[in-house]
């Protein structure tokens, strides 16, 4: 479905070169989309060209995730630490959600994708937040893939805010310490309502979590690749899924 509509945008919809089992498809895949700047630098292009090119991979991987039956796709687009980058780069990045949605929102709607955002909205420029909120509103009743953008997201801040809110409620007698268990903590995080990721993918050779979903990734499988995000294709994505399925089968055996 998604592939047919997106085919119009000039990209065909390759089936996996190797077969992909429909058993044990991860329900939630989270991705740290790293290496956009390095990809550009290696080609003698400005970093911004890498970020722009990375948007195309977002489209292709969303399409692939939907096709194989992933239910939640969380993409780390901008961290709370990324504000430290040069102002020109931050300004450029903040225009990408609007640009992406201008091109893709109609197709996302047509394909029953629900857009969500996980992060701190207050620091975002109006034009960024307006674009994202329009997408969230216009896809709120969709029942297909949940495309969750981590935008101005930081995991330690997320946990501290939850803890501070809970402490204040305990102090005011609205919450008891005994009621704070793992499920309750999960419900107070920005990912509330979304199950923990089954699989984390990080591109570009870095082997760190970089303050991404520290609580939620406690039991997740992790898959790393040296491929830069702008070069990350459906085939790389399927490779990660196949490895996830192999690991799941191994655990089933013992
Ligand atoms: C740059 C690679 C899509 C990572 C992908 C503001 C770095 C391209 C979005 C997007 C970015 C976010 C929210 C939304 C719709 C689209 C995006 C940023 C960066 C940071 F509702 N790509 N993308 N946002 N890049």
């Amino acid at each position: 479905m998604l592939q047919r509509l997106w085919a119009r945008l000039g990209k065909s919809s390759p089936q996996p070169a190797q077969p992909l089992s429909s058993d044990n498809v991860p329900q939630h895949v989270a991705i740290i989309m790293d290496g956009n700047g390095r990809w550009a630098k290696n080609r003698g292009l400005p970093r911004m060209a890498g970020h722009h090119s990375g948007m195309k991979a977002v489209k292709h991987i969303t399409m692939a995730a939907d096709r194989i039956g992933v239910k939640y796709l969380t993409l780390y687009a901008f961290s709370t630490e990324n504000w430290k980058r040069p102002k020109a780069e931050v300004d450029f990045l903040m225009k990408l959600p609007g640009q992406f949605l201008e091109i893709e929102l109609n197709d996302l709607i047509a394909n029953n994708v629900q857009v969500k955002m996980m992060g701190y909205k207050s620091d975002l420029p109006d034009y960024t937040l307006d674009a994202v909120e329009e997408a969230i509103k216009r896809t709120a009743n969709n029942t297909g893939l949940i495309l969750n953008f981590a935008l101005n997201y930081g995991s330690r801040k997320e946990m501290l805010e939850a803890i501070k809110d809970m402490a204040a409620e305990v102090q005011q007698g609205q919450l008891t310490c005994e009621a704070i268990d793992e499920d309750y903590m999960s419900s107070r995080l920005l990912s509330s309502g979304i199950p923990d990721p089954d699989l984390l993918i990080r591109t570009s050779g870095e082997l760190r979590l970089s303050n991404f979903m520290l609580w939620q990734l406690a039991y997740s499988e992790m898959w790393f690749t040296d491929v830069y995000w702008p070069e990350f294709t459906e085939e790389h994505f399927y490779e990660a899924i196949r490895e996830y399925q192999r690991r799941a089968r191994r655990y089933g055996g013992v």
Side-chain angles (χ1 to χ4, degrees):
M1 192 65 177
L2 210 52
Q3 65 226 50
R4 198 146 35 75
L5 283 152
W6 270 332
R8 282 196 282 108
L9 297 167
K11 178 74 191 173
S12 63
S13 51
Q15 293 306 117
Q18 280 170 265
L20 191 71
S21 165
S22 56
D23 301 340
N24 245 312
V25 171
Q27 178 178 216
H28 183 181
V29 179
I31 308 183
I32 302 176
M33 306 183 287
D34 201 7
N36 301 285
R38 255 170 293 169
W39 175 86
K41 196 181 166 222
N42 285 352
R43 301 179 162 228
L45 298 169
R47 287 175 62 80
M48 325 281 179
H51 297 315
H52 192 268
S53 194
M55 280 203 302
K56 294 181 191 149
V58 169
K59 180 179 75 179
H60 296 144
I61 299 309
T62 299
M63 173 169 82
D66 184 60
R67 186 184 316 125
I68 66 171
V70 169
K71 293 286 182 287
Y72 303 85
L73 179 66
T74 296
L75 301 177
Y76 206 2
F78 193 89
S79 78
T80 50
E81 287 75 40
N82 287 157
W83 297 106
K84 293 180 206 145
R85 292 185 181 180
K87 186 178 183 302
E89 185 174 342
V90 170
D91 288 350
F92 182 89
L93 284 166
M94 285 299 148
K95 291 184 190 126
L96 293 184
Q99 278 181 33
F100 178 88
L101 292 165
E102 197 178 322
I103 300 167
E104 305 298 343
L105 183 56
N106 285 336
D107 283 343
L108 294 172
I109 292 168
N111 288 287
N112 200 24
V113 172
Q114 186 182 150
V115 175
K116 279 181 168 277
M117 174 189 151
M118 177 173 80
Y120 295 93
K121 293 183 174 173
S122 57
D123 313 309
L124 298 175
D126 286 344
Y127 55 85
T128 308
L129 191 57
D130 289 350
V132 175
E133 288 199 315
E134 188 200 333
I136 292 170
K137 213 161 98 192
R138 290 182 59 195
T139 62
N141 296 322
N142 290 354
T143 56
L145 174 75
I146 290 173
L147 177 57
N148 183 35
F149 286 100
L151 185 50
N152 194 24
Y153 173 85
S155 186
R156 286 188 173 184
K157 180 177 169 74
E158 172 189 43
M159 288 193 278
L160 282 177
E161 295 294 326
I163 291 162
K164 283 196 267 190
D165 288 349
M166 290 189 288
E169 288 169 26
V170 169
Q171 206 166 36
Q172 288 159 28
Q174 296 159 338
L175 179 66
T176 64
C177 279
E178 294 68 41
I180 303 172
D181 59 13
E182 291 191 9
D183 285 343
Y184 189 71
M185 176 70 179
S186 294
S187 79
R188 301 298 299 253
L189 299 176
L190 295 170
S191 55
S192 170
I194 297 181
D196 291 341
D198 301 294
L199 173 64
L200 172 75
I201 295 172
R202 181 169 188 159
T203 58
S204 192
E206 305 298 338
L207 308 178
R208 296 186 296 279
L209 288 182
S210 302
N211 203 18
F212 186 55
M213 299 185 90
L214 301 179
W215 173 274
Q216 297 90 337
L217 291 168
Y219 297 103
S220 310
E221 293 293 334
M222 299 189 186
W223 190 85
F224 299 95
T225 176
D226 288 338
V227 172
Y228 298 137
W229 177 251
E231 291 179 328
F232 191 78
T233 63
E234 290 94 329
E235 218 34 68
H236 298 114
F237 185 68
Y238 299 139
E239 197 184 319
I241 304 288
R242 275 194 294 267
E243 170 63 17
Y244 172 86
Q245 292 176 328
R246 264 197 297 279
R247 293 184 202 175
R249 271 203 308 280
R250 271 210 302 277
Y251 296 141
V254 282

